[in-house]
Amino acid sequence: MASAEKSRKQLVTDNADERIRARNVLKILKAATELFSRKGLDGTRINEIAELSGLPKGNVYYYFSSKEEIYKATIAHLINSWDQAFRHISADREPAEAIEAYIKAKLEHARRNIAETRLFANEILQGAEHLPADARQHMREVTAEKAEVLNAWVAAGKLAPVDPRHLFIMLWSATQFYAEFEALACDALQVGQLKASDYNAAARTISETVLNGLRPRT
Amino acid sequence: MASAEKSRKQLVTDNADERIRARNVLKILKAATELFSRKGLDGTRINEIAELSGLPKGNVYYYFSSKEEIYKATIAHLINSWDQAFRHISADREPAEAIEAYIKAKLEHARRNIAETRLFANEILQGAEHLPADARQHMREVTAEKAEVLNAWVAAGKLAPVDPRHLFIMLWSATQFYAEFEALACDALQVGQLKASDYNAAARTISETVLNGLRPRT
DNA sequence: AAAAAAGTTGACCAAATTGTCAACTTATTT
DNA sequence: AAATAAGTTGACAATTTGGTCAACTTTTTT
């Protein structure tokens, strides 16, 4: 009986409960991402993070030694998904189809990770001083690699001549705008809040305009 | 002689020196815009504003009653130039030429007002809570009005069908990106810092892609 | 079941920061 | 030139905030 009770407890500990540390660190990171994304590093109080994550402040400091460390952890966390959508840009696909898939994926990612997207924007806006050097290096490399794919498409006559780097910037900025500048987007579209249909309309406009714009001229 | 001396002094006071209040308020606003644009409202210390503007802190409080009031003043100041470039979008011009001029003007404005552009982005990113309601109303109205111009062009067969509001968002985001996310743009373009030539290349890529993309299909 | 490790907690401290103020100087008016 | 208004200044009060800590509880190991 004591044994049965123990194994039940262990089950709870291992699954639903998970490891205490992992669970609490995640709680803190989630709350921090939300707050940092809205008020920035300096604008966010440790007390707020504690409150939103449901932990006393002292407990937050048990897992992280400073506010900046929490911030860096949130940045490190979101960096992982930065180049996800880029996988669509691959040399063996049809350009139009690949670019359209990329736009869709980017918009979808922004819509489903609004806080992370905003936090990333905030960090870059403030000079990217907390972005680890290796993360930036990785971003540079991936961008250069995908730019080569675009160049190959242009060389093969499948796309009108275009500077791939500026094109990427166009796509990044357009797809992230709706999450980052939601307030402005709502004003422009004259809606109270963005819905999935607005994101779909955005995807259509961006895709149609850019794809038509890049159609090779004979 | 005493009269001559007095009139010289008055001349100095009225021109080069200007009104003391106007000059100092401007000093403070300029320093504050620079700092707010990089570190946000909460990240900026009043001491820093005082230092950068060359005034003692007490003096700053002589002109503004709080940090937030300074912030609001900087926002109110930059809002004035928000719709400047929009004047190019007018019904009596050729669409292609008008849109190209708009893109150029927007990019040029961002390049020459980097701090203001960044500050505006920061404010929207954080939820636009300090943006006066009438300013937002004005932005909504101007956007709606210009959207009608685009719709007329589409109806006249001068442009391919497009949702003008999403198109505007594409243009806003693309043209502001270089100022707002300079760090990311430098990485993508593999340059140390953006030069006028980079802005020109951006203008070319955006214009060519979008204009070609909007060319009416027969 | 005892011991050790991990996690929790609220009170507390030190530093930073906003905003005030009274004394002072410079500019303007009468 | 006297009086008044406008602007300057550094010291200081009040508050906020990041971070510490020792006592305590829960969980895990032996």
Side-chain angles (χ1 to χ4, degrees), chain A residues 115-167:
Chain A
E116 280 87 351
T117 300
R118 259 199 310 247
L119 176 51
F120 181 73
N122 217 311
E123 167 63 14
I124 306 292
L125 195 55
Q126 315 224 341
E129 282 170 18
H130 301 273
L131 217 62
D134 57 344
R136 286 185 78 160
Q137 178 61 21
H138 173 71
M139 287 165 63
R140 269 194 295 268
E141 282 169 8
V142 174
T143 304
E145 180 195 318
K146 297 304 181 182
E148 277 316 305
V149 175
L150 270 274
N151 280 334
W153 283 339
V154 170
K158 292 180 167 182
L159 280 184
V162 68
D163 185 329
R165 294 189 172 82
H166 288 285
L167 178 70

Side-chain angles (χ1 to χ4, degrees), chain A residues 73-213:
Chain A
T74 60
I75 295 286
H77 192 256
L78 68 83
I79 274 295
N80 292 329
S81 63
W82 182 80
D83 56 359
Q84 237 185 50
F86 247 157
R87 71 181 192 283
H88 291 291
I89 305 295
S90 86
D92 55 359
R93 292 179 75 167
E94 274 308 299
E97 181 219 0
I99 292 173
E100 187 175 6
Y102 175 72
I103 291 168
K104 266 215 179 89
K106 260 273 166 188
L107 268 171
E108 182 74 3
H109 179 267
R111 187 174 69 85
R112 295 168 76 145
N113 302 274
I114 295 190
E116 280 87 351
T117 300
R118 259 199 310 247
L119 176 51
F120 181 73
N122 217 311
E123 167 63 14
I124 306 292
L125 195 55
Q126 315 224 341
E129 282 170 18
H130 301 273
L131 217 62
D134 57 344
R136 286 185 78 160
Q137 178 61 21
H138 173 71
M139 287 165 63
R140 269 194 295 268
E141 282 169 8
V142 174
T143 304
E145 180 195 318
K146 297 304 181 182
E148 277 316 305
V149 175
L150 270 274
N151 280 334
W153 283 339
V154 170
K158 292 180 167 182
L159 280 184
V162 68
D163 185 329
R165 294 189 172 82
H166 288 285
L167 178 70
F168 285 151
I169 287 178
M170 272 185 71
L171 297 181
W172 293 341
S173 62
T175 52
Q176 288 173 196
F177 189 96
Y178 297 86
E180 290 165 5
F181 304 124
E182 198 178 11
L184 202 53
C186 286
D187 279 5
L189 299 175
Q190 302 193 295
V191 297
Q193 67 173 128
L194 298 182
K195 294 176 183 167
S197 61
D198 295 309
Y199 277 86
N200 288 336
R204 223 177 310 126
T205 300
I206 301 169
S207 285
E208 282 177 8
T209 306
V210 170
L211 291 181
N212 198 33

Side-chain angles (χ1 to χ4, degrees), chain B:
Chain B
M1 199 169 88
S3 164
E5 195 173 42
K6 190 181 172 188
S7 76
R8 182 183 58 77
K9 223 174 174 181
Q10 261 189 352
L11 202 75
V12 167
T13 299
D14 290 351
N15 296 347
D17 212 68
E18 285 192 54
R19 217 96 233 92
I20 294 175
R21 167 172 288 269
R23 172 165 47 96
N24 283 347
V25 165
L26 217 80
K27 269 189 198 169
I28 294 168
L29 251 36
K30 192 179 170 189
T33 301
E34 188 62 43
L35 289 163
F36 285 146
S37 88
R38 290 193 189 279
K39 329 221 264 173
L41 171 59
D42 297 291
T44 301
R45 308 295 144 212
I46 290 271
N47 261 326
E48 297 178 299
I49 296 178
E51 210 171 322
L52 188 61
S53 61
L55 265 41
K57 190 178 63 167
N59 208 358
V60 171
Y61 275 100
Y62 176 71
Y63 292 107
F64 294 93
S65 67
S66 71
K67 185 164 76 164
E68 198 169 326
E69 203 187 285
I70 303 179
Y71 185 80
K72 281 182 184 166
T74 61
I75 295 286
H77 191 256
L78 68 82
I79 275 295
N80 292 328
S81 63
W82 182 81
D83 56 0
Q84 236 186 48
F86 246 157
R87 72 181 193 282
H88 291 291
I89 306 294
S90 86
D92 55 359
R93 292 179 76 167
E94 272 308 299
E97 180 219 0
I99 292 173
E100 188 175 5
Y102 175 72
I103 292 169
K104 267 213 177 93
K106 260 273 167 188
L107 269 171
E108 182 73 2
H109 180 267
R111 188 173 69 84
R112 294 166 78 142
N113 302 275
I114 295 190
E116 280 87 350
T117 300
R118 258 199 313 247
L119 176 51
F120 181 73
N122 217 310
E123 168 61 16
I124 307 292
L125 195 56
Q126 315 223 342
E129 282 171 20
H130 301 272
L131 217 60
D134 58 344
R136 285 185 80 161
Q137 179 59 21
H138 173 72
M139 287 165 64
R140 267 194 296 269
E141 283 168 8
V142 173
T143 304
E145 178 195 321
K146 297 304 180 182
E148 277 316 305
V149 175
L150 270 275
N151 280 334
W153 284 339
V154 170
K158 292 179 168 184
L159 279 184
V162 68
D163 185 329
R165 295 190 171 82
H166 287 287
L167 179 69
F168 285 152
I169 287 179
M170 271 186 73
L171 298 181
W172 292 341
S173 62
T175 51
Q176 287 173 197
F177 189 97
Y178 297 87
E180 289 164 5
F181 304 124
E182 196 177 11
L184 202 55
C186 285
D187 279 6
L189 300 174
Q190 302 194 297
V191 296
Q193 67 172 128
L194 298 182
K195 294 174 185 168
S197 60
D198 296 308
Y199 277 86
N200 288 336
R204 222 178 309 128
T205 300
I206 301 169
S207 285
E208 283 179 7
T209 306
V210 171
L211 291 181
N212 198 33
L214 294 179
R215 194 181 299 170
R217 282 153 270 184
T218 48

